[in-house]
Amino acid sequence: MSCGCKTSGDSAHSCGTKSANGCESVNTCGNSYKLSVFDWLSNVQNPASNRCDFVEVRFKNDRKLFYKNVNNIPLHIGSIVTVESSPGHDVGVVSLTGELVKIQMKKKRASEENPLKIYRLANQKDIEVWQEARKKEENIKIEARKISHRIGLEMKITDVEYQGDSSKVTFYYTADNRVDFRMLIKEFAGAFRTKIDMKQIGFRQEAAKVGGIGSCGRELCCSTWLTDFRSVNTNVARYQQLSINPQKLAGQCGKLKCCLNYELDSYLDALSHFPSSSTMIDTEKGRAFCIKIDVFKKKMWFAYVDSSMAWYDFDVDLVKKMISQNKRGEKTLPLEDLKQPEISVKTVDLIQENSVDRFEKKNRGFNKNRNQGNQNQNQNRPNNNQNQGPRKPRPENNNEKPQDRTDKGERTERPERQPSPEKNQKPNQNNNQRPQKQQQQKPQAEKAGAVNNDVEKKPENQQPKKKFKKKFPPKKDNNA
């Protein structure tokens, strides 16, 4: 059997302890569920002779009740017990023992007269019946919703809870108006063959049972740790200078968010040092009224009644002086003259959140270095437009003619490239070649010689140009 920590009766979420006495590690199971309570007096000896006989037992969801240990059974947090119920008995998990139970009973105003009793520690049969009843709850909830929809009732069945001995089933529902259950209970009793109990809950309790993710990105407070609900109204939002927008102020339950109450006391403490927001100031130029209050900067914005387009912000101390001056019957200076020039404060962005291109700095630095290197190389290279002198040819290619450039940097027509005379002077190994080919090669060789003489006359500062060899078509054999 499992201890039932986290969710009572759900062994899949238990700590895995197979003992009827409960969990071996109280600290772990005592903090694993939102309804569990940490007993900070467990290691403290009770100086009083009498011992508290009441024990807090929790059931499914957020239901807790107090029972009296009449048989003096040794119990601790996590023990599965069989308790008194009407009708039959129920099975639950002990959530708190000792002197802290008295504090909880006083807080929840539980009466000690005619208390419910703890029968025994749950045996194996009680645990099996209890867990089998838990497995049927999901299917019964779906079937109950179909029946209520068929009848046409304006209600929503949120959750279903079986009693430990399967003798009663409780349906939790939400509804805006009053619902007539006479026809519905007959349908439920005929379908489920057990005693039916209907309990209406609020929308906040529904959100706590179902769970979900809030606008802050975390799990709902009511489904994780919040056990009591305080009333929230629109004045809470006004005190915190929030815009009255129902879509932003409402939570998953459709009501105002419970977290609006968390910082309310801090805001009320800060606003106690501010003058009233309905304060009017008499100036020489006219009356001014308060438009806005900033709690963090401790400033108040004022504007003239006649022209409310221009706003002027003042510190709270200065506003108090202006109010005291009006009480003496004196008018203050115009708001333009009282406004002090703002001193710009330079902020240091340590984590670089304000920089849009903060993720591109590395690549931009790399590109900058690369561009600087290219500029240095371009500066070392001579400019053709500025350097009008001839280029120096390569020493290994003497047959190439350099490019002639005009004063304006325009390229002139260059003659066709001719093969080198060395190749033309080679003996022809093919005896069947045309004789005209050899005659044509002689004037070409003479031209190439003239080109070489011109190249030798060029200055040495000119860079050589790469030579591209001309490809000739394959020679034909006339005797073929």
Side-chain angles (χ1 to χ4, degrees):
M1 66 187 69
S2 62
C3 70
C5 59
K6 283 194 175 180
T7 53
S8 60
D10 190 359
S11 59
H13 297 89
S14 63
C15 67
T17 305
K18 306 297 182 181
S19 175
N21 295 328
C23 298
E24 296 178 358
S25 178
V26 177
N27 293 333
T28 302
C29 289
N31 296 320
S32 60
Y33 186 59
K34 75 167 185 175
L35 296 181
S36 299
V37 182
F38 181 74
D39 190 1
W40 50 276
L41 293 177
S42 59
N43 297 328
V44 179
Q45 295 181 358
N46 187 7
S49 59
N50 56 346
R51 181 182 177 184
C52 182
D53 295 333
F54 284 89
V55 177
E56 185 185 63
V57 181
R58 60 178 173 85
F59 302 92
K60 185 183 177 181
N61 295 325
D62 55 352
R63 187 165 67 95
K64 280 185 178 182
L65 292 175
F66 298 97
Y67 295 87
K68 188 173 183 180
N69 188 5
V70 292
N71 298 324
N72 294 327
I73 303 172
L75 300 175
H76 53 80
I77 296 176
S79 300
I80 303 176
V81 292
T82 302
V83 297
E84 180 183 358
S85 181
S86 178
H89 65 272
D90 201 353
V91 180
V93 181
V94 177
S95 59
L96 187 62
T97 59
E99 297 298 324
L100 289 180
V101 180
K102 292 183 179 180
I103 300 176
Q104 293 293 328
M105 293 178 67
K106 184 177 179 181
K107 179 181 179 182
K108 297 183 179 180
R109 299 177 181 179
S111 177
E112 296 183 3
E113 298 179 358
N114 299 325
L116 298 174
K117 302 175 184 178
I118 295 178
Y119 290 150
R120 62 184 180 273
L121 287 172
N123 52 30
Q124 184 65 29
K125 185 178 179 180
D126 296 336
I127 298 294
E128 291 177 358
V129 175
W130 181 42
Q131 292 181 349
E132 288 295 329
R134 288 285 183 265
K135 294 178 182 179
K136 297 187 296 183
E137 290 176 351
E138 189 66 25
N139 296 330
I140 289 178
K141 181 175 67 175
I142 296 173
E143 186 66 23
R145 288 179 176 177
K146 292 180 181 179
I147 294 173
S148 63
H149 180 71
R150 186 176 69 249
I151 297 175
L153 299 178
E154 296 181 358
M155 58 176 293
K156 178 184 177 183
I157 297 177
T158 302
D159 198 6
V160 177
E161 182 182 0
Y162 255 104
Q163 194 169 285
D165 57 352
S166 299
S167 61
K168 184 178 70 173
V169 58
T170 304
F171 293 91
Y172 297 93
Y173 70 95
T174 57
D176 295 330
N177 301 320
R178 188 173 181 179
V179 182
D180 187 5
F181 295 116
R182 289 177 293 181
M183 188 64 185
L184 182 66
I185 291 177
K186 291 180 182 180
E187 293 287 340
F188 283 175
F192 306 130
R193 299 293 179 179
T194 184
K195 186 178 179 180
I196 306 299
D197 189 10
M198 304 294 294
K199 286 188 177 181
Q200 185 176 3
I201 58 175
F203 293 99
R204 295 181 186 273
Q205 287 79 7
E206 180 189 11
K209 291 179 181 294
V210 176
I213 304 297
S215 59
C216 58
R218 304 186 65 179
E219 294 184 45
L220 299 180
C221 298
C222 55
S223 62
T224 52
W225 62 272
L226 192 63
T227 56
D228 55 341
F229 297 97
R230 295 171 56 188
S231 61
V232 186
N233 50 25
T234 55
N235 291 330
V236 176
R238 292 190 178 94
Y239 288 139
Q240 301 181 33
Q241 309 298 322
L242 299 175
S243 61
I244 309 301
N245 188 352
Q247 295 180 353
K248 292 185 178 181
L249 298 180
Q252 298 291 339
C253 57
K255 306 296 182 181
L256 293 177
K257 296 179 182 178
C258 298
C259 56
L260 293 176
N261 285 329
Y262 296 165
E263 299 179 355
L264 178 61
D265 296 337
S266 300
Y267 275 91
L268 293 176
D269 187 20
L271 289 173
S272 62
H273 303 286
F274 279 75
S276 177
S277 58
S278 59
T279 301
M280 301 290 290
I281 297 177
D282 294 330
T283 64
E284 296 177 355
K285 193 174 180 180
R287 301 194 69 185
F289 65 98
C290 180
I291 292 181
K292 178 183 174 183
I293 295 176
D294 195 331
V295 179
F296 302 101
K297 293 183 180 179
K298 296 182 178 180
K299 288 186 177 182
M300 299 180 68
W301 275 259
F302 285 88
Y304 290 109
V305 177
D306 299 335
S307 59
S308 61
M309 298 299 295
W311 296 9
Y312 303 94
D313 58 306
F314 303 101
D315 293 336
V316 178
D317 299 334
L318 181 58
V319 174
K320 291 180 179 179
K321 293 180 180 178
M322 296 164 64
I323 295 173
S324 61
Q325 188 174 357
N326 290 148
K327 288 181 178 180
R328 294 193 301 267
E330 301 177 0
K331 292 186 178 181
T332 62
L333 296 175
L335 299 180
E336 311 82 66
D337 300 339
L338 293 174
K339 181 174 175 56
Q340 299 178 356
E342 296 182 358
I343 301 174
S344 60
V345 179
K346 294 183 179 179
T347 59
V348 180
D349 189 10
L350 298 178
I351 57 178
Q352 299 180 356
E353 285 186 348
N354 298 329
S355 179
V356 178
D357 56 348
R358 61 184 182 274
F359 300 110
E360 303 176 359
K361 285 188 175 181
K362 294 182 180 180
N363 298 331
R364 188 174 64 179
F366 174 75
N367 296 333
K368 184 177 180 181
N369 297 332
R370 187 174 63 182
N371 295 333
Q372 289 180 357
N374 294 336
Q375 291 178 3
N376 295 333
Q377 292 179 3
N378 295 331
Q379 290 177 2
N380 296 331
R381 291 179 182 176
N383 191 357
N384 294 331
N385 297 333
Q386 295 177 1
N387 187 8
Q388 299 179 359
R391 295 183 178 180
K392 183 179 179 181
R394 294 183 180 178
E396 63 272 9
N397 298 330
N398 297 327
N399 298 328
E400 184 183 0
K401 186 176 181 181
Q403 297 178 359
D404 296 332
R405 302 207 178 255
T406 60
D407 296 339
K408 295 182 180 181
E410 296 179 354
R411 183 178 295 179
T412 59
E413 297 181 358
R414 54 182 178 181
E416 297 180 358
R417 297 179 182 176
Q418 302 297 336
S420 59
E422 297 177 358
K423 294 182 180 180
N424 296 332
Q425 291 175 3
K426 288 182 180 180
N428 190 5
Q429 297 178 0
N430 190 1
N431 297 328
N432 297 327
Q433 271 189 341
R434 296 179 182 179
Q436 296 178 0
K437 190 73 176 178
Q438 297 178 358
Q439 294 177 2
Q440 293 177 1
Q441 291 176 356
K442 291 181 181 181
Q444 292 176 358
E446 293 177 0
K447 291 180 181 180
V451 171
N452 293 333
N453 294 331
D454 295 338
V455 171
E456 292 176 357
K457 295 179 182 179
K458 297 292 181 180
E460 297 180 356
N461 294 333
Q462 189 173 2
Q463 297 180 357
K465 188 176 181 181
K466 188 175 181 180
K467 177 183 177 183
F468 297 93
K469 295 182 180 180
K470 187 176 181 181
K471 296 182 180 181
F472 294 94
K475 297 177 181 181
K476 296 181 180 181
D477 193 355
N478 297 329
N479 296 330

